[in-house]
Amino acid sequence: MEEIIVERYIRDFNTKAQKAIKKNDVDKAYDAIRVSADIQYKWNQSYTDDLLEKCIQEIVNKKTFTTNYEPQNNVILFYDGFGLDTRGLALIYIKALCELRYSVIYVVPEIARYQQEEIHKVTAGKNIVFCYLKNKCGNKLTSEILHFFKKYQPHTAFFYTYPADVEGCVSFAVMAGKVKRYQINLTDHAFWLGRNAFDYCVEFRNYGACVSHKYRHIAAEKIRLLHYYPYFDKDVPFEGFPFDVDDRPILFSGGALYKTFNDKETYYQMVNEILQRHEELLFVYAGAGDKSGLKKLQTRYPSRVFVLDERKDLYAVMKHSTIYLNTYPMIGGLMTQYAAVAGKLPLTLLNCPDNSLDGLLLNHKDIRLEFKNKDELVSEVDKLLSDKQYRQLAERKLISRVMDEDTFRCELNNLVVTGKTKFEFCLHDIDTSEFRKSYKHRFTMKSLARSIISKKTVSIWKYYPKLIIYRVIEKLLSQLTVQDKN
């Protein structure tokens, strides 16, 4: 999609937000900010928007917080805008906080009430209160979030959410000076709102720290580093593969499929070349999203390329694979760690020197995992598949290269108590221009329409009748496709 068109839409919604605030139409302002932020997240040609942050602050200035606030030292509020279960980082943070015997106030959307089986399992019998947000968006949602701050009066709060969460940003900005606020920066590679919603930005790798400092203009003294570990149940039995393996080697890859697309189709060229060179090799991908690239591979290799839905037995799938291939141009953080814990080499093509495995694996430079170009990686696959002894020696080096749960819990406690961790980051100049090109390539009219016409943006639908028609047709086609499959 043409850059000038996308930028025009962003400016349009920024202007709508400003005008709505002047008219004191806060809900409409929320919608306009949310749409602009969601477009910018998908477009990802910048990492912050000064005008949107100013709009959020103007909304904050209209809020009154009259409660006599007395922070309770052992109480920690954890706001989770995602509401997922094992995906992401919420589970490991909440589990650790409960084990550290804090009183945890877990604030999460209502939709998560019956969708977090594992979180309930690991927090059973612990001092935790589940607070479900009934409102989906707007001023009422902000008031609901603030209600839980007022009710429980936490000393510390964690802000963990999606990039366009206006209500969460406003709520945490209102609490400035009352609560020690930590943002968990899960989306360190892309645009997000909320530059003024925290006292400290918790990064999980040096790359994110550099991006936040250079592109988001976050002061170094507000940045903290805390690596994470992968949570999964090693005892989940292997469900098997829905195809015959017959002791053939398996190249496994997985994660959200948007991470595999760029204008040169580098990832798919790489897989194609590897399959060409190794006729016995099977390629298995587990994940959701646009499967067009995988379907092309399946057409070329009908009995050797297989696509799986996301699996609960991911650790077992890794154990039954031979090599793990990281996605490109975006690597998968948790998938990298899963592979390493399972003893499988996560081969990684770098899109830039900074966007590496640093922070995901510890002291990994002595293992040949990162490659500057496709040919180097393909050659390494050749060697690993042809020389079992060489592969096993490299696999043994993976032991203890992922941070363990005890260290995470200890450093999280240090963060809460002292505001610091033992992990150090090194800020340096960073250039993400090449990486951002892949976002331009992926951005389509569908991306734009989905940002503008959603359940949370009803107040602005009337201005975009053509996009409404587009979304209706898109949904009808999607339903027809599902019916055809059934």
Side-chain angles (χ1 to χ4, degrees):
M1 196 166 179
E2 288 186 26
E3 182 172 355
I4 190 170
I5 296 174
V6 180
E7 296 294 340
R8 189 184 70 209
Y9 272 100
I10 292 169
R11 287 194 304 272
D12 182 35
F13 282 105
N14 284 9
T15 302
K16 278 182 168 58
Q18 288 178 305
K19 289 180 178 178
I21 290 169
K22 286 181 181 178
K23 293 178 180 178
N24 206 31
D25 190 347
V26 178
D27 281 335
K28 189 172 180 180
Y30 275 131
D31 286 352
I33 295 170
R34 181 182 4 267
V35 172
S36 176
D38 197 57
I39 293 172
Q40 292 191 67
Y41 162 66
K42 293 170 183 173
W43 181 238
N44 203 34
Q45 299 309 301
S46 61
Y47 292 90
T48 190
D49 187 314
D50 292 341
L51 193 147
L52 290 186
E53 296 297 343
K54 183 181 177 183
C55 286
I56 289 172
Q57 193 56 47
E58 287 178 6
I59 295 173
V60 170
N61 294 340
K62 295 175 182 289
K63 295 285 180 186
T64 55
F65 193 92
T66 56
T67 302
N68 184 21
Y69 200 87
E70 297 180 7
Q72 305 300 301
N73 284 331
N74 202 50
V75 179
I76 293 178
L77 185 144
F78 192 101
Y79 172 71
D80 177 5
F82 295 103
L84 302 173
D85 192 16
T86 56
R87 286 179 61 191
L89 305 180
L91 185 148
I92 67 169
Y93 270 84
I94 294 165
K95 183 175 187 287
L97 291 171
C98 285
E99 290 171 350
L100 290 165
R101 298 189 177 180
Y102 288 106
S103 176
V104 178
I105 311 303
Y106 181 47
V107 181
V108 66
E110 173 67 31
I111 194 172
R113 186 182 289 270
Y114 304 108
Q115 305 296 325
Q116 296 180 311
E117 179 182 345
E118 201 65 25
I119 286 179
H120 280 277
K121 187 170 93 174
V122 302
T123 59
K126 301 293 195 301
N127 191 4
I128 182 170
V129 179
F130 287 82
C131 301
Y132 295 104
L133 297 164
K134 294 179 173 59
N135 292 287
K136 293 183 177 180
C137 59
N139 206 33
K140 288 183 179 179
L141 176 56
T142 302
S143 298
E144 198 176 1
I145 296 169
L146 290 173
H147 163 75
F148 292 119
F149 275 105
K150 294 173 184 178
K151 182 175 180 179
Y152 296 102
Q153 304 205 1
H155 177 271
T156 300
F158 284 89
F159 184 50
Y160 174 72
T161 194
Y162 58 95
D165 185 356
V166 196
E167 293 84 0
C169 293
V170 171
S171 302
F172 270 71
V174 168
M175 298 308 298
K178 299 179 180 64
V179 182
K180 186 161 63 172
R181 305 163 301 161
Y182 293 97
Q183 184 205 216
I184 302 169
N185 185 13
L186 179 68
T187 318
D188 69 346
H189 61 279
F191 175 95
W192 44 254
L193 288 175
R195 204 172 61 207
N196 300 307
F198 55 84
D199 300 302
Y200 300 100
C201 185
V202 183
E203 306 284 351
F204 66 85
R205 55 179 175 167
N206 202 80
Y207 174 82
C210 291
V211 169
S212 286
H213 183 60
K214 177 178 178 179
Y215 292 103
R216 298 189 179 99
H217 318 300
I218 296 171
E221 55 267 25
K222 294 183 70 173
I223 296 175
R224 298 292 184 268
L225 187 63
L226 178 57
H227 305 308
Y228 58 73
Y229 72 94
Y231 175 86
F232 54 89
D233 189 347
K234 291 184 179 181
D235 296 326
V236 174
F238 181 49
E239 297 175 9
F241 291 117
F243 50 83
D244 293 329
V245 177
D246 297 327
D247 294 324
R248 296 167 74 178
I250 294 175
L251 179 68
F252 180 65
S253 189
L257 275 160
Y258 73 85
K259 295 181 179 181
T260 65
F261 287 103
N262 67 347
D263 57 343
K264 297 177 182 177
E265 298 186 344
T266 307
Y267 177 81
Y268 297 96
Q269 288 182 15
M270 188 163 53
V271 174
N272 178 64
E273 191 167 336
I274 292 170
L275 289 171
Q276 276 185 337
R277 294 162 75 128
H278 301 277
E279 294 181 359
E280 287 297 305
L281 184 68
L282 302 178
F283 176 66
V284 179
Y285 194 100
D290 181 355
K291 295 182 174 63
S292 58
L294 293 174
K295 287 177 180 177
K296 289 179 183 178
L297 287 173
Q298 285 181 313
T299 301
R300 194 169 297 163
Y301 306 98
S303 59
R304 296 175 58 200
V305 176
F306 302 94
V307 184
L308 307 175
D309 293 328
E310 293 183 12
R311 301 273 294 243
K312 288 187 176 181
D313 62 335
L314 182 58
Y315 176 76
V317 172
M318 290 281 192
K319 292 292 286 186
H320 282 78
S321 302
T322 311
I323 300 171
Y324 179 75
L325 178 65
N326 231 322
T327 47
Y328 181 92
M330 289 181 62
I331 63 175
L334 282 169
M335 293 296 283
T336 295
Q337 293 185 327
Y338 288 143
V341 173
K344 304 303 173 181
L345 299 164
L347 302 187
T348 304
L349 180 63
L350 301 179
N351 62 61
C352 73
D354 293 293
N355 195 8
S356 69
L357 299 178
D358 290 343
L360 300 173
L361 302 181
L362 308 175
N363 305 315
H364 66 279
K365 297 297 184 182
D366 62 327
I367 314 175
R368 191 163 165 74
L369 299 174
E370 298 176 330
F371 303 89
K372 295 179 180 178
N373 60 65
K374 176 170 62 72
D375 293 339
E376 285 183 2
L377 189 148
V378 172
S379 294
E380 183 65 11
V381 172
D382 292 345
K383 193 169 183 180
L384 291 168
L385 291 176
S386 62
D387 189 338
K388 187 175 181 180
Q389 187 175 1
Y390 172 76
R391 186 177 76 244
Q392 290 176 337
L393 180 63
E395 288 172 345
R396 283 196 290 271
K397 290 182 180 180
L398 281 173
I399 297 172
S400 301
R401 296 304 172 101
V402 178
M403 189 172 74
D404 61 87
E405 184 177 354
D406 290 342
T407 303
F408 175 81
R409 182 170 57 247
C410 178
E411 291 308 313
L412 177 58
N413 192 49
N414 286 339
L415 185 67
V416 172
V417 175
T418 70
K420 297 179 181 179
T421 73
K422 72 175 183 180
F423 301 113
E424 297 181 356
F425 55 90
C426 178
L427 294 178
H428 58 269
D429 192 29
I430 187 171
D431 183 2
T432 65
S433 56
E434 193 63 32
F435 167 69
R436 283 182 276 123
K437 286 181 181 178
S438 63
Y439 280 83
K440 280 189 178 182
H441 172 70
R442 289 198 304 270
F443 197 92
T444 62
M445 177 58 74
K446 181 187 291 187
S447 309
L448 184 69
R450 287 184 173 183
S451 292
I452 297 173
I453 310 300
S454 75
K455 291 180 180 178
K456 291 185 176 182
T457 60
V458 177
S459 72
I460 59 168
W461 283 17
K462 62 183 179 182
Y463 302 109
Y464 301 94
K466 291 181 180 179
L467 290 181
I468 293 174
I469 295 170
Y470 181 93
R471 287 285 279 139
V472 169
I473 293 172
E474 181 198 341
K475 288 201 169 190
L476 287 172
L477 290 173
S478 177
Q479 290 172 3
L480 289 172
T481 301
V482 171
Q483 289 173 5
D484 288 342
K485 287 182 180 178
N486 293 334

